[in-house]
């Protein structure tokens, strides 16, 4: 397979390390999140340039409400200011933005800003940026089951393909590559269903420092992986085919 074929269609990212990045510089955690937005804008552009079709980022998890109130309100304000600051550029660069997560508990002003980003970019086709906001992988499975039941899907008709249609990311292929920055090696309730066969790359880089070089290193790592989806390796498959 040539290298062009090994570019992942869909990359999921846990943007971890903003707080530590700020702490190292004796600045409040919020400053780390602000620089994290700049890193995100750069990575989305770099992904588009490399032919990646979908990028999905964990911006605010269902569990993040438990952080100090000041940090939560800082992240909410950041969502609003990010839309004001970057939306025009995103529209111009062909980025289609979608928000995934439970909107019902998001404050109206934040929700309005996020929905403005969705609305203004809905005709864009160059790259799809999904922002997981008040999202949790378990929430996603539960809400999909609830919707399927409400639709009258019979228990025996509820198979994987049917449930997938009710999941928050039903518009996208499953992530091929799952990147987590910040040195921790866990999934943290992100895209539990969708990442079943993702390749994982864990980077020690703190998210605000994650740029093109780090992205290319992750892409090179991904390109070397032998994806099996529960089957035998491609080398074994070739040997079996010859036998
Ligand atoms: C994890 O770092 C990061 C987050 C909880 C938030 C990530 C959010 C952004 C980069 C900006 C989001 C964009 C919008 C539109 C709001 P951490 O705080 O857990 O870092 P630490 O592990 O070093 O403490």
């Amino acid at each position: 397979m040539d290298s062009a074929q090994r570019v992942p269609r869909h990359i999921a990212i846990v943007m971890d390390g903003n707080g530590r990045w700020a702490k190292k510089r004796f600045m409040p955690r919020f400053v780390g999140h602000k620089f994290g937005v700049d890193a995100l804008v750069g990575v989305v552009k770099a992904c588009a340039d490399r032919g990646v079709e979908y990028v999905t980022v964990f911006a605010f998890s269902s569990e993040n409400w438990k952080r100090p109130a000041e940090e939560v309100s800082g992240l909410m304000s950041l969502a609003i200011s990010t839309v004001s600051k970057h939306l025009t550029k995103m529209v111009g660069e062909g980025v289609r933005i979608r928000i995934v997560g439970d909107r019902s508990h998001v404050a109206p002003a934040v929700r309005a800003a996020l929905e403005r980003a969705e609305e203004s970019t809905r005709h864009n086709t160059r790259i799809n940026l999904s922002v997981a906001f008040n999202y949790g992988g378990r929430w996603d499975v539960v809400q999909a089951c609830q919707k399927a039941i409400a639709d009258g899907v019979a228990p025996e008709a509820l198979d994987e393909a049917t449930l997938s249609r009710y999941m928050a990311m039903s518009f996208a292929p499953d992530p091929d590559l799952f990147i987590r920055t910040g040195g921790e090696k866990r999934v943290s309730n992100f895209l539990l269903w969708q990442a079943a066969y993702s390749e994982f790359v864990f980077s020690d880089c703190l998210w605000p420092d994650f740029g093109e070089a780090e992205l290319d290193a992750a892409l090179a790592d991904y390109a070397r992986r032998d994806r099996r989806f529960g089957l035998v390796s491609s080398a074994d498959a070739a040997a079996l085919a010859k036998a």
Side-chain angles (χ1 to χ4, degrees):
M1 198 176 276
D2 67 38
S3 63
Q5 285 175 286
R6 300 306 307 257
V7 173
R9 283 188 75 194
H10 185 175
I11 304 181
I13 310 178
V14 175
M15 308 178 288
D16 197 13
N18 296 339
R20 279 166 285 159
W21 185 93
K23 197 173 168 201
K24 271 171 66 177
R25 289 162 180 78
F26 306 101
M27 294 193 287
R29 294 174 56 79
F30 169 69
V31 177
H33 296 313
K34 255 182 93 170
F35 278 84
V37 170
D38 295 341
L40 172 59
V41 171
V43 163
V44 171
K45 184 177 184 313
C47 283
D49 291 345
R50 285 153 181 77
V52 175
E53 296 169 53
Y54 296 85
V55 175
T56 302
V57 296
F58 213 1
F60 192 86
S61 79
S62 327
E63 290 75 33
N64 285 156
W65 296 107
K66 295 177 202 139
R67 292 193 172 204
E70 196 189 343
E71 185 170 350
V72 171
S73 65
L75 280 164
M76 295 299 149
S77 307
L78 187 60
I80 297 174
S81 61
T82 297
V83 173
S84 304
K85 188 173 166 195
H86 295 287
L87 185 56
T88 309
K89 192 169 176 248
M90 293 280 171
V91 172
E93 285 178 0
V95 182
R96 176 162 187 184
I97 298 173
R98 291 182 181 86
I99 310 303
V100 290
D102 182 0
R103 300 175 190 213
S104 63
H105 294 101
V106 175
V110 179
R111 188 167 162 171
L114 297 174
E115 289 177 354
R116 186 159 70 88
E118 286 187 309
E119 187 51 35
S120 318
T121 61
R122 74 192 181 94
H123 297 298
N124 283 353
T125 53
R126 186 159 178 246
I127 188 165
N128 295 277
L129 169 64
S130 304
V131 179
F133 201 89
N134 195 21
Y135 177 88
R138 290 180 175 178
W139 164 83
D140 197 357
V141 175
V142 170
Q143 69 80 30
C145 293
Q146 287 174 337
K147 280 190 190 147
I149 292 165
D151 262 2
V153 175
E156 59 279 11
L158 191 63
D159 55 14
E160 290 185 17
T162 306
L163 195 61
S164 284
R165 288 199 285 278
Y166 291 95
M167 302 294 295
M169 295 291 301
S170 59
F171 55 87
D174 286 344
D176 305 290
L177 171 61
F178 185 119
I179 298 174
R180 182 181 184 131
T181 61
E184 309 287 358
K185 295 182 175 64
R186 46 179 180 258
V187 177
S188 295
N189 199 19
F190 190 39
L191 301 178
L192 296 180
W193 172 275
Q194 298 86 346
Y197 288 104
S198 300
E199 295 294 329
F200 282 73
V201 169
F202 296 103
S203 166
D204 288 333
C205 180
L206 302 176
W207 175 251
D209 290 329
F210 196 88
E212 292 198 41
E214 290 75 18
L215 175 67
D216 285 335
L219 292 175
D221 193 344
Y222 171 81
R224 288 191 295 269
R225 306 280 177 96
D226 183 19
R227 301 190 74 193
R228 296 186 200 151
F229 300 96
L231 308 175
V232 292
S233 74
S234 49
D236 288 347
L240 282 172
K242 272 194 201 150

